[in-house]
Amino acid sequence: MGKITGFMEYQRLKEASEEPQKRLKHYKEFTVHLSDAEAKIQGARCMDCGIPFCNNGCPVNNIIPDWNDLVYTGNYKQALDTLHSTNNFPEFTGRICPAPCEAACTLGINEDPVGIKSIEHFIIDKGWESGWVVPQPPAVKTGKKIAVVGGGPAGMAAAQQLARVGHDVTLFEKNDRIGGLLRYGIPDFKMEKSHIDLRVKQMEAEGVTFRTGVLVGKDFPANILNWSKETISPDQLKKDFDAVVITGGAEQPRDLPVPGRELKGVHFAMEFLGPQNKVNAGDKVKDQIMATGKHVIVIGGGDTGSDCVGTSNRHGAASVTQFELLPQPPEEENKPLVWPYWPTKLRTSTSHEEGCERDWAVATKRLEGKNGKVEKLIAARVEWKDGKMVEVPDSEFELKADLVLLAMGFVSPVQSVLDAFGVDKDQRGNAKATTDGEGCYRTSVDKVFAAGDMRRGQSLVVWAIREGRQCAREVDAFLMGESLLPR
């Protein structure tokens, strides 16, 4: 590395951000990428550890030490090329990835890990600002036609890779804009949608055709965001294209089967988050769910729950309370026990910093209200005994609730889509396909492939990009007999 002793000389630097009370007044991003001088110092902290566990901690296997060193030496264009060699969309991951690479950082054993995510954020923003991110159209067209179903990060990555080697790619998205859950699941204050729009323009210049508002299949669940205007059958796609890649998200939310679930004011998180993003984009949404002046309870302690907290506060909620079924995790992980794997520890998001009551080991027992509208939530404390969760005696309590948001994760892809294609499914309801050996990413249906959440279930954006890239290589090899695409 360029600065052998940098990890001993410099401290980790957190990216600057707008104060909570100011950023609550808008939906724009409030975190600022590092300056050139700050990025240089953060890159210098990469310690030439010999075995860079960060590479394997990162699902797309980013070549992290290389671009850390290139940033330290000021070779920003080369750093961008190195970053793009493994990751099609670092502006997405540099903003919303939880950074498992940092959990695997060797320096993190006894110090703050290298700020890998902030350096990635710096590199890609530098690239866009400098005009280095340009279309890469193919030199030769193959004449092969491929349909990609699902416009999220997995579908976008697969489509871009396949277009760059000369295939004619059409990407179908049921909603009115490209991006999947990046577009209508991630709040704008975490990632503005202009980043998706820039990539769409790049991909169009590379030969990708986008068809939005098109639902593949039919009988789509009413509780899942779907702004489609037309439908097309899987049989038609298989007839019109040489290969089909299904890359939809794991959109089927986990429900809460308790008395009172049917009351008005109880909603899945995506019913709350997606319409707000449409409003931010300038659309008019009829009967938008608002938290203004309401006592909001968010059930679920993950990222989606945190997004509900941040959006509720921007609406002007009277109060926001977030419950988690599991016990409160420790503030610091036991590094000798868990490193280099993803640790269980208390994580406080920027939305939590903006105002929220958090509680753990809480189970909802029922919801009560009047005239068909929720008014309160009755819950109880729980604990784990002999491997089972049991209610703590005499621990029942109630809270005022005008709006209850269910953010307990997603159980599977939409089953009607998989059923329409007729593909075999695994025990969790995902499309059944392997990721290694002969025929990987292929489903049980001829020339139909699956990747991302559609194959692996609910996961991270960085896993979606990895699977989209790897699946693209397999589709290319299937059509051409071999592939030069990286895996």
Side-chain angles (χ1 to χ4, degrees):
M1 306 302 294
K3 183 70 170 176
I4 298 297
T5 58
F7 70 96
M8 295 187 290
E9 298 175 30
Y10 304 123
Q11 299 299 310
R12 179 185 170 103
L13 178 65
K14 183 179 179 180
E15 292 175 310
S17 62
E18 191 176 13
E19 295 178 0
Q21 293 308 310
K22 291 183 179 180
R23 66 194 192 221
L24 281 174
K25 298 177 181 179
H26 61 79
Y27 289 89
K28 295 187 178 297
E29 291 179 17
F30 51 80
T31 300
V32 182
H33 66 73
L34 303 173
S35 67
D36 290 18
E38 290 168 340
K40 175 184 174 73
I41 290 175
Q42 294 306 295
R45 295 187 72 239
C46 193
M47 60 186 295
D48 193 19
C49 60
I51 301 177
F53 287 88
C54 56
N55 290 89
N56 286 327
C58 172
V60 294
N61 303 123
N62 276 331
I63 313 170
I64 294 164
D66 290 43
W67 44 258
N68 281 342
D69 184 49
L70 289 165
V71 167
Y72 171 71
T73 56
N75 293 306
Y76 304 130
K77 176 64 166 60
Q78 191 176 350
L80 178 66
D81 293 342
T82 304
L83 178 55
H84 268 148
S85 71
T86 55
N87 186 351
N88 294 65
F89 312 119
E91 62 271 44
F92 303 166
T93 53
R95 285 170 167 81
I96 63 173
C97 181
C101 54
E102 294 187 10
C105 175
T106 302
L107 181 57
I109 294 174
N110 64 340
E111 294 285 349
D112 289 333
V114 175
I116 299 169
K117 181 178 174 180
S118 65
I119 298 172
E120 179 180 26
H121 184 187
F122 165 81
I123 294 171
I124 185 58
D125 281 15
K126 188 80 170 179
W128 282 110
E129 292 164 3
S130 303
W132 297 332
V133 185
V134 296
Q136 300 177 36
V140 178
K141 300 290 284 186
T142 66
K144 300 292 185 180
K145 297 170 61 180
I146 302 166
V148 178
V149 180
M156 291 179 68
Q160 185 169 61
Q161 293 294 93
L162 289 165
R164 285 177 173 178
V165 291
H167 301 306
D168 293 319
V169 181
T170 302
L171 191 154
F172 295 87
E173 166 59 43
K174 70 180 185 302
N175 289 320
D176 53 356
R177 295 178 178 89
I178 296 297
L181 290 177
L182 285 175
R183 174 76 67 174
Y184 289 126
I186 303 296
D188 288 13
F189 55 79
K190 288 176 67 174
M191 193 189 83
E192 293 179 20
K193 305 310 177 253
S194 58
H195 305 297
I196 304 174
D197 297 335
L198 285 171
R199 285 297 180 179
V200 168
K201 289 181 180 179
Q202 180 194 37
M203 292 170 65
E204 286 176 333
E206 293 170 344
V208 177
T209 299
F210 292 95
R211 290 188 59 186
T212 57
V214 180
L215 176 64
V216 177
K218 58 181 181 179
D219 302 324
F220 212 75
N223 60 19
I224 296 174
L225 296 181
N226 174 23
W227 287 292
S228 59
K229 295 182 179 179
E230 62 177 297
T231 61
I232 188 170
S233 71
D235 288 341
Q236 189 65 46
L237 290 185
K238 288 185 285 184
K239 178 182 177 181
D240 294 344
F241 294 88
D242 298 299
V244 179
V245 185
I246 49 176
T247 60
E251 296 182 79
Q252 190 64 54
R254 181 174 284 107
D255 210 340
L256 183 67
V258 299
R261 167 65 180 87
E262 75 285 352
L263 291 170
K264 185 178 179 182
V266 184
H267 302 276
F268 288 116
M270 290 304 148
E271 296 176 310
F272 177 66
L273 296 173
Q276 181 59 58
N277 285 4
K278 283 185 70 68
V279 171
N280 294 344
D283 297 349
K284 292 184 178 180
V285 175
K286 184 179 179 180
D287 300 324
Q288 182 188 357
I289 302 165
M290 297 295 294
T292 310
K294 296 178 181 178
H295 296 281
V296 180
I297 295 181
V298 179
I299 302 177
D303 288 340
T304 303
S306 171
D307 295 342
C308 289
V309 170
T311 302
S312 295
N313 280 325
R314 280 163 178 75
H315 282 184
S319 68
V320 183
T321 303
Q322 184 179 23
F323 288 156
E324 168 59 61
L325 184 65
L326 297 175
Q328 181 174 344
E331 292 193 11
E332 294 293 335
E333 71 270 34
N334 186 341
K335 288 185 178 181
L337 180 65
V338 300
W339 181 89
Y341 301 107
W342 184 250
T344 297
K345 67 176 183 178
L346 181 63
R347 302 176 192 278
T348 299
S349 72
T350 55
S351 291
H352 294 141
E353 294 171 354
E354 293 163 0
C356 173
E357 291 293 327
R358 305 169 72 186
D359 206 348
W360 288 265
V362 173
T364 302
K365 297 188 69 174
R366 62 187 182 277
L367 301 162
E368 296 181 356
K370 293 180 181 178
N371 301 319
K373 189 179 185 307
V374 69
E375 290 186 341
K376 60 183 176 180
L377 179 147
I378 289 79
R381 304 284 172 190
V382 292
E383 60 183 355
W384 291 87
K385 286 187 176 180
D386 301 323
K388 297 181 180 180
M389 186 185 70
V390 296
E391 182 177 331
V392 176
D394 302 319
S395 66
E396 189 172 298
F397 65 98
E398 66 177 54
L399 284 176
K400 184 173 177 56
D402 304 309
L403 177 62
V404 178
L405 300 172
L406 308 181
M408 302 172 294
F410 301 86
V411 295
S412 71
V414 179
Q415 296 301 290
S416 59
V417 175
L418 297 180
D419 292 340
F421 276 97
V423 301
D424 289 346
K425 293 180 280 189
D426 64 19
Q427 294 179 342
R428 297 182 299 154
N430 305 320
K432 192 174 183 180
T434 64
T435 59
D436 53 18
E438 185 177 353
C440 57
Y441 288 99
R442 291 193 204 181
T443 70
S444 58
V445 177
D446 183 44
K447 72 180 187 182
V448 176
F449 295 72
D453 287 5
M454 191 67 80
R455 191 204 67 81
R456 67 178 287 117
Q458 178 190 4
S459 193
L460 306 175
V461 60
V462 68
W463 274 106
I465 294 171
R466 170 198 173 108
E467 295 226 340
R469 288 171 61 88
Q470 290 190 346
C471 184
R473 176 183 170 87
E474 299 307 319
V475 174
D476 186 36
F478 168 75
L479 295 175
M480 307 302 293
E482 61 181 359
S483 179
L484 297 178
L485 285 171
R487 194 173 194 278

